[in-house]
Amino acid sequence: MFVNIFYQLIDIVKTNFFTIVLLTIFTNVIQYYINYFNRPSKIPGPLPLPIIGNFHQIGANFTVSLKRLHEKYGDFYEFYTGSTHNIVISRPDLVEKVWGPVSLKNTKFILRTSYSEGLNELGVGTKGMVFNRNIEGWVLNRRFMNTISAPSFLRESINLSNKVIDQVFEYWKIINKEGMQIDVCEWLNTVGADVVSTTATGKSVAATTKLFNSLNIENKKSLQGIWENGVKFCQSIHLYNESMAFMMLIPAKLRRNLPFISSINKKYLDNRDWIYKELDRVVSEKQKEIENTPLSQHLKPNILTLLLTTNTERDLDKISVGKFERPLTKDEVISIIREVFTGGLDTTSSTLSIIMFYLAKHRDVYLKMRQEVLDVYGSLNNPVLTLESYGKLKYIEAVIYESIRMFPTVSNMPRTATEDIELDGFIIKADTTVHTDFLVLNHNPKYFKDPETFNPDRFLTDKESILKYVYIPFGNGVRACPGRAWAMVQMKTFLVKLVCIFDIDSNDKNDAPKFSYHTVNRPADIYINVKTEIVNI
């Protein structure tokens, strides 16, 4: 009898407990939507769910998701990642408010993103430059990064790029004789890795050599590089870039506790640790090399040497940042070098892959580029490339700009206001991330005639008709890309050398390149045929 009564009491407690839990969840959901529908700024956008926000509508490909949301909600809308509020704009008057101010004093959008625990875990929320929310530290790092726009640095970059590209094109000649196609994305990733690693540290990772050797062409082998873990390091940087969107968009509780998500989270954090240890080793080796070099002996210029000698007796290029007079700490050096790789590897190589996709489909454009090289240098036979001559390559520059317009590697860019601000009649709270959708802007027929047509001439004959805040491929104002001049030098070097040596074509029937989203848009499956028998213009 007493046993039966005991079990009945347990059933009552269970029933009441689950009832209370369900009522609590129900009440919280109701309160969530009451707050949502009563919010002061009712911006268009998809209805979010409690806890996850609009993750179920975003998906893995952020670029495709934003395009779909734009089709439904227009040039100004909102979405939520968890409880984090995001705004998306794709109208020039709104873009001007975000990107227009050209001084630190005047801009309200100095921050890259809203506060993110995930970015702090990656080590970029308060360090480096791209996501650094510490303004004083950001200004310091920005000053150092601006040195890569100095003429002396760009001239050295041309020389280094030239050497890497010459070696790659020798490989391509062999591949041509073997009747094989060129995997453009794979090759340009390795070109970027070798150029960036040599420029940043003075050591080549020899990624192009390793790729060539992997083809197993008989009796055709080349020496490996001098950075032992270099190729793995560059692959880890690609993974690190991929992890940024994941860590930024997915709330910490979900990343750490959901079974499948938590394993991805661990993979990204382990990768972060390995990169730091590898850079710590590389920086330590460079420090010893500098210490063992007599003061009278010239040091080879590279970014790492510049950073390690700043405000020391070996200072190569005196840096003045307010009252900053001390040498950089090792941790500061590692953060800056890491950003040279994260910013330099993915974007330039991916953009070059996109350019190659369109050039292989537009022979008339390719021939115009070759004619321009002939006009500027007088010969296609090993022209002498100089920084001054690059300013004359207007058509090649237009090809680069049009390729970025057609398919930007960075198709959306976030900025965050430091205070409440009005946008399109709505008050946007401070620390709300505002994404500028460049892909939508660049394909809007209001701003570009025949936007789906690849036409570099629009940046020559119709350049004045392009509104400034419709097309800003490298950003604008205080948050403009500090590596834009370096990127243009690398791309022009590659393209000039390409048209001098090869004819190219492609069997690809697609109008746009295939790609996947990994914080940036990475093109994939771009294959071309190269021929060394150049057809006369």
Side-chain angles (χ1 to χ4, degrees):
M1 175 180 176
F2 289 109
V3 174
N4 290 336
I5 293 173
F6 176 73
Y7 281 116
Q8 287 175 11
L9 287 172
I10 289 177
D11 288 338
I12 292 171
V13 170
K14 280 183 179 180
T15 302
N16 287 339
F17 174 76
F18 287 116
T19 300
I20 291 171
V21 170
L22 290 173
L23 283 173
T24 301
I25 294 173
F26 180 74
T27 302
N28 287 336
V29 169
I30 293 298
Q31 188 60 53
Y32 174 86
Y33 283 116
I34 288 174
N35 293 338
Y36 174 77
F37 286 112
N38 287 332
R39 68 198 191 283
S41 296
K42 295 181 175 60
I43 300 169
L47 182 69
L49 296 178
I51 302 176
I52 67 171
N54 297 111
F55 274 122
H56 59 299
Q57 292 157 311
I58 296 299
N61 194 318
F62 195 48
T63 299
V64 172
S65 299
L66 290 190
K67 183 179 180 182
R68 186 174 61 249
L69 290 173
H70 173 264
E71 291 170 354
K72 187 170 183 178
Y73 299 106
D75 293 332
F76 183 82
Y77 62 91
E78 67 178 6
F79 68 92
Y80 286 82
T81 51
S83 59
T84 302
H85 190 204
N86 297 267
I87 303 293
V88 183
I89 59 174
S90 52
R91 217 172 64 210
D93 59 315
L94 300 177
V95 175
E96 183 175 5
K97 284 193 171 185
V98 175
W99 293 87
V102 295
S103 71
L104 184 63
K105 182 179 179 181
N106 295 329
T107 185
K108 292 181 174 64
F109 283 90
I110 187 61
L111 300 177
R112 180 73 176 268
T113 64
S114 57
Y115 173 79
S116 168
E117 187 177 354
L119 291 179
N120 286 347
E121 289 178 53
L122 280 181
V124 296
T126 57
K127 297 178 182 179
M129 192 182 71
V130 177
F131 294 104
N132 193 346
R133 290 170 60 84
N134 180 327
I135 302 303
E136 184 178 348
W138 178 86
V139 171
L140 171 64
N141 292 327
R142 174 77 181 199
R143 176 64 177 168
F144 281 108
M145 290 297 288
N146 281 342
T147 61
I148 66 177
S149 296
S152 58
F153 176 87
L154 296 177
R155 290 189 180 94
E156 181 64 19
S157 181
I158 291 173
N159 293 333
L160 292 173
S161 299
N162 226 336
K163 292 176 183 178
V164 173
I165 294 165
D166 280 345
Q167 181 64 71
V168 167
F169 285 171
E170 288 302 312
Y171 294 152
W172 283 18
K173 290 176 184 178
I174 295 170
I175 293 172
N176 169 52
K177 290 180 180 179
E178 296 292 321
M180 300 166 65
Q181 284 190 312
I182 302 294
D183 184 336
V184 169
C185 300
E186 194 170 28
W187 272 102
L188 289 176
N189 279 339
T190 64
V191 170
D194 283 349
V195 170
V196 173
S197 65
T198 306
T199 307
T201 69
K203 287 186 175 183
S204 172
V205 300
T208 52
T209 297
K210 184 173 182 180
L211 175 57
F212 178 73
N213 288 346
S214 72
L215 300 178
N216 293 319
I217 298 175
E218 188 176 358
N219 298 323
K220 299 292 182 181
K221 294 289 181 181
S222 195
L223 296 175
Q224 292 295 322
I226 57 175
W227 183 344
E228 183 180 352
N229 298 324
V231 172
K232 179 183 176 182
F233 177 80
C234 290
Q235 292 169 343
S236 295
I237 288 293
H238 285 302
L239 186 63
Y240 189 77
N241 281 345
E242 176 184 316
S243 71
M244 289 179 186
F246 175 90
M247 300 294 286
M248 180 170 56
L249 295 174
I250 299 181
K253 288 184 179 179
L254 297 181
R255 286 190 289 104
R256 295 168 184 165
N257 297 309
L258 291 181
F260 175 69
I261 300 295
S262 62
S263 62
I264 298 176
N265 187 64
K266 184 179 184 305
K267 177 182 72 172
Y268 287 150
L269 293 179
D270 288 346
N271 183 63
R272 170 206 63 188
D273 294 340
W274 188 87
I275 287 173
Y276 188 91
K277 289 178 181 177
E278 182 64 12
L279 281 177
D280 183 82
R281 182 184 67 80
V282 170
V283 171
S284 294
E285 288 180 359
K286 181 63 69 174
Q287 283 176 320
K288 290 180 181 178
E289 179 185 319
I290 293 171
E291 290 169 1
N292 294 331
T293 302
L295 286 173
S296 58
Q297 185 174 330
H298 178 69
L299 294 171
K300 291 184 178 179
N302 55 69
I303 297 173
L304 181 53
T305 299
L306 169 68
L307 296 176
L308 289 173
T309 57
T310 293
N311 291 328
T312 72
E313 57 186 351
R314 300 296 303 256
D315 200 333
L316 299 179
D317 189 5
K318 201 74 174 178
I319 302 294
S320 174
V321 186
K323 297 180 180 180
F324 181 80
E325 296 176 350
R326 62 169 175 79
L328 290 171
T329 67
K330 189 175 187 180
D331 195 49
E332 288 169 335
V333 171
I334 288 174
S335 294
I336 296 173
I337 284 293
R338 182 180 59 196
E339 295 220 336
V340 170
F341 278 97
T342 57
L345 282 183
D346 257 336
T347 51
T348 304
S349 59
S350 292
T351 300
L352 268 176
S353 293
I354 297 301
I355 294 171
M356 293 290 283
F357 173 85
Y358 287 111
L359 288 180
K361 298 174 76 68
H362 296 271
R363 180 161 178 76
D364 58 325
V365 173
Y366 197 76
L367 293 179
K368 284 183 181 179
M369 288 173 56
R370 182 177 291 156
Q371 183 62 58
E372 180 175 68
V373 171
L374 195 56
D375 292 342
V376 170
Y377 297 102
S379 172
L380 299 178
N381 184 20
N382 198 26
V384 178
L385 306 183
T386 64
L387 183 60
E388 289 70 25
S389 69
Y390 281 17
K392 301 175 183 178
L393 300 172
K394 300 299 183 183
Y395 188 73
I396 287 180
E397 192 168 288
V399 170
I400 294 171
Y401 284 148
E402 177 67 349
S403 299
I404 295 173
R405 185 197 70 81
M406 288 290 289
F407 193 88
T409 300
V410 182
S411 59
N412 67 85
M413 185 68 74
R415 289 289 177 266
T416 300
T418 53
E419 59 186 70
D420 293 359
I421 191 168
E422 182 271 331
L423 278 180
D424 207 31
F426 296 96
I427 299 299
I428 308 301
K429 291 291 185 182
D431 212 34
T432 299
T433 298
V434 178
H435 301 263
T436 301
D437 194 331
F438 294 124
L439 184 62
V440 166
L441 264 169
N442 295 348
H443 284 261
N444 192 325
K446 292 180 183 177
Y447 313 124
F448 291 97
K449 182 181 178 182
D450 301 323
E452 304 306 321
T453 300
F454 181 75
N455 177 23
D457 286 330
R458 75 173 81 242
F459 286 97
L460 297 174
T461 58
D462 300 330
K463 189 175 181 179
E464 298 303 319
S465 67
I466 300 174
L467 299 177
K468 181 176 182 180
Y469 293 101
V470 165
Y471 186 75
I472 46 174
F474 296 104
N476 188 69
V478 291
R479 294 300 310 226
C481 173
R484 57 194 180 278
W486 184 25
M488 289 297 286
V489 158
Q490 291 180 59
M491 289 189 284
K492 286 183 178 180
T493 304
F494 182 88
L495 293 172
V496 169
K497 303 285 286 187
L498 178 75
V499 299
C500 287
I501 298 174
F502 297 110
D503 269 339
I504 65 172
D505 62 48
S506 171
N507 300 322
D508 196 327
K509 304 300 181 183
N510 294 311
D511 294 328
K514 298 177 183 177
F515 75 102
S516 56
Y517 179 79
H518 301 282
T519 306
V520 299
N521 298 320
R522 284 190 197 147
D525 299 331
I526 298 176
Y527 295 91
I528 64 167
N529 305 302
V530 297
K531 302 175 183 177
T532 53
E533 300 82 11
I534 295 179
V535 178
N536 292 329
I537 298 173

